[in-house]
Amino acid sequence: MLSYSNLFANQPSVKRFSGSVSHPIECSTAEYLYDEDEVSDGSDIFYYYKNSGNIIKDIAYQLDESNSCVQQSFGTDDFLCGSIDYHNAENEPAETALRYKAFYPFAYDEILHPNGHDYDGYPLPVVVLFHEGGFKECSTFDVPFIQTMGLELARKAYICLIVEYREGRLRNGVKWTAQQQLATYRGIQDVRGAIKSIIKRNTAFGTTTTIEDYHEGKIKINPDQFFIGGASAGAVITVNTAYLRDQTMINQFFLTSGSSDLTIEQALGGIDENRYFGHTSDWPVIRGVLACWGAILVLSKTNMTH
């Protein structure tokens, strides 16, 4: 868990929760700070797409093909699109694929949650996670592994946000509508857009106007304790986002085969496209990266320009 140090310069000097429970930095003294009844179950859904006429480029939906979204094997479990497929434009608008759910300790309430957290006095560290799935369609953020991580982190007194991002498309069980590089680049765009949107919402904690835009006043994040992570495909886009910090660096990894081809930036837009709820300036200091079986490409020193 977090250890107290000068790394977290903005952490309150008094490190405690309301009532008798401990701050996360002291969580080694107890197996859990909250039981499951005292933390959210991840049912809170927030969207990070800004519906302003911008096109989400290079993503296929179920209606684009005659075959329906098919069952896919993933480890020992099988996952199906639910009865409401958020990637199916017949059921929901396309932008609803860009959403995240929140696991968190409930805020203090004299009647409902007398041992709840004092978010006004002590904002909590956040871990933003991006789900696994190999960029396959239907591999959403409802997979059990990432859900368990969200719940366990909330019981340890962290806010955990699990993000869904644009994925590739499995067609006829074999072929994809987008190659791996395109899926990775789209994922990097969505990781950055989600992080910026989370930070923007955090600045309006407890607002009474347009409250649906601002985490509904339920949580407040300490932006100086911001961590990101992911599993498999989610780890790939997370690590690339954390360490390839700008467009120049990223462009070196998505090369074209000839001068007449579009660059990745020309084809899909920049990494900070204006299609998300958050603004370009809404960016935290990322304190750590949790990567579960992910990877990052590294150019040779002779090819690096940044």
Side-chain angles (χ1 to χ4, degrees), residues 179-296:
Q179 60 177 291
Q180 189 82 9
Q181 278 199 334
L182 295 179
T184 301
Y185 188 86
R186 292 198 316 268
I188 292 171
Q189 288 177 318
D190 291 346
V191 171
R192 294 179 66 89
I195 290 172
K196 290 183 291 183
S197 299
I198 290 164
I199 290 296
K200 181 181 178 181
R201 283 197 171 96
N202 196 56
T203 62
F205 174 75
T207 183
T208 57
T209 59
T210 60
I211 197 168
E212 67 276 4
D213 287 339
Y214 299 108
H215 294 141
E216 300 175 358
K218 296 178 179 179
I219 57 177
K220 188 173 184 180
I221 294 163
N222 183 343
D224 202 50
Q225 295 179 322
F226 201 102
F227 300 83
I228 62 175
S232 191
V236 170
I237 59 178
T238 300
V239 173
N240 278 274
T241 298
Y243 294 103
L244 303 182
R245 297 181 299 275
D246 56 40
Q247 190 74 55
T248 300
M249 295 180 73
I250 287 179
N251 284 350
Q252 294 178 76
F253 292 91
F254 297 92
L255 305 178
T256 59
S257 59
S259 60
S260 62
D261 295 331
L262 291 175
T263 65
I264 192 73
E265 185 177 0
Q266 291 169 329
L268 298 181
I271 57 171
D272 289 310
E273 285 290 286
N274 186 27
R275 65 168 67 101
Y276 302 99
F277 177 76
H279 299 307
T280 302
S281 59
D282 297 320
W283 193 258
V285 175
I286 297 174
R287 296 299 186 180
V289 181
L290 172 66
C292 299
W293 57 94
I296 184 172

Side-chain angles (χ1 to χ4, degrees), residues 38-40 44 102-107 119 150 154 158-160 218-219:
E38 294 176 303
V39 300
S40 74
D44 297 274
F103 293 82
Y104 56 91
F106 287 120
Y119 280 102
Y158 290 84
I159 297 167
C160 184
K218 296 178 179 179
I219 57 177

Side-chain angles (χ1 to χ4, degrees), residues 32-42 103-106 113 147-148 150-152 154-156:
Y32 291 109
L33 301 184
Y34 296 98
D35 62 34
E36 292 188 27
D37 293 332
E38 294 176 303
V39 300
S40 74
D41 60 0
F103 293 82
Y104 56 91
F106 287 120
H113 304 291
Q147 299 296 301
T148 300
L151 179 61
E152 293 299 300
R155 294 174 72 186
K156 288 290 190 181

